[in-house]
Amino acid sequence: MTTTTVTGVEVFDGTEHLDGTWDVTFDENAVTALSPAGTHRVEGPAVDGAGATLLPGLIDAHVHFLDAGELTALARAGVTTALDMGTWPPPFVAALRASRAGADIRSCGAPIAGRGGPHARIPGFPADSLVSTAEEGRRRVAARVGEGVDYIKLVLEPDGAGGPDAATAKAVVEEAHAAGLRVVAHASHTGAVALALEAGVDVLTHAPLDAVLAPDLVRQLGGRESGHVVVPTLTMMRGVARNLGNPAVDYAHARDTVTALHRAGAVLVAGTDANRAPGVPAAVAHGSSLHDELALLVEAGLSPVEALRSATSTAAAAFALPDRGSIRPGLRADLLLVTGSPATDITASRAVRGVWTAGRPVDLDTP
């Protein structure tokens, strides 16, 4: 087993930018030591961290997959964990999990959606994921549990747009919670957000483009005590707004919603909706887009440190990943080394110098 030490490096530990410089030692089991630079014997090969910052590997809380090469693209950009929000069939998801090709993944499998909504018209969308009644919703959750998913994805639409109704949405949430699983709701319209809150979902993904979220909904989502998490996917929302060219669909609504949620103390987690699927409203690159997302979160009012937390410790806590998201002895050695200090200049997160997944170096050079 190889032991590596990054020496004389600044550290963002997942929560704060630590004072001074540090030596960080790790192997394929875990981070083994975090000590002030020069105070302990350097173990194993040394990586010079001068002028750089070591961060926990980043977590993208909204991706989709077509092939294992996308795992490699994620890892090369420093994204060491990817939370899949809609990939199928189950054997393909199982192959991604086992590939060790780059980023580690968690998955919902195929989302649960309504028969009359936009997702029902996606080419190849599995017919057995479409539901019209509460009983169908419960059966779909049971099927996903049988596939070994990590959480349930529920696609919600505003009234009249063909998504599951309130009774069906509540049934899905109840069945998932009974199985010990969180529910992530696709809610890209303000009406869908209201339905998601009524149904009791745990995570809402996408900031609406139709309007800024109403103050009462912001209050319901605000504060950690609310129990809700929001993954705004500003990168995708910006792309959709640009591509549609519809004045009623305005990226400023999504951005201003994030600003309001941040001021209300909502738990915000970074996610991009990275995908290459044919016919999607906007193509979003795997890996590099998370750095775009961090910059957009800062533009919406988060500090650089808050944005970094949203892709590390906050994301890990939101999705029950206690072995990662921070740099601490005993945790998984998913690490990102960048030139500069992203805790003060978020654009420095793009200057990738080195990446390790579970203590193993990622090849940054091979095409």
Side-chain angles (χ1 to χ4, degrees), residues 218 221-226 260-268:
V218 170
L221 290 167
R224 293 183 179 274
E225 65 279 0
S226 77
L261 289 169
H262 177 244
R263 288 173 178 166
V267 178
L268 298 170

Side-chain angles (χ1 to χ4, degrees), residues 128-306:
D128 68 357
S129 286
L130 301 175
V131 301
S132 300
T133 67
E135 183 54 33
E136 285 181 332
R138 292 184 189 279
R139 289 201 299 267
R140 286 305 96 215
V141 172
R144 296 292 169 267
V145 171
E147 293 165 6
V149 300
D150 299 291
Y151 37 83
I152 298 295
K153 173 79 174 294
L154 176 62
V155 179
L156 297 178
E157 307 291 349
D159 285 345
D165 62 16
T168 303
K170 288 178 181 178
V172 167
V173 172
E174 289 170 0
E175 192 74 11
H177 286 174
L181 296 181
R182 289 167 171 77
V183 178
V184 180
H186 165 105
S188 60
H189 187 282
T190 52
V193 173
L195 176 57
L197 289 172
E198 181 184 353
V201 306
D202 305 289
V203 180
L204 293 90
T205 188
H206 306 307
L209 292 170
D210 61 302
V212 178
L213 206 58
D216 64 318
L217 296 178
V218 170
R219 283 193 296 271
Q220 290 181 63
L221 290 167
R224 293 183 179 274
E225 65 279 0
S226 77
H228 297 292
V229 173
V230 180
V231 184
T233 67
L234 289 176
T235 305
M236 170 57 80
M237 308 323 285
R238 181 180 62 177
V240 170
R242 286 175 174 174
N243 291 346
L244 290 182
N246 180 348
V249 177
D250 191 345
Y251 171 69
H253 294 150
R255 181 200 61 214
D256 293 350
T257 289
V258 172
T259 301
L261 289 169
H262 177 244
R263 288 173 178 166
V267 178
L268 298 170
V269 167
T272 63
D273 206 357
N275 71 91
R276 296 188 299 115
V280 295
V284 176
H286 289 76
S288 61
S289 61
L290 189 57
H291 301 284
D292 297 334
E293 189 73 17
L294 295 176
L296 291 175
L297 289 170
V298 170
E299 287 181 10
L302 279 69
S303 71
V305 164
E306 290 168 333

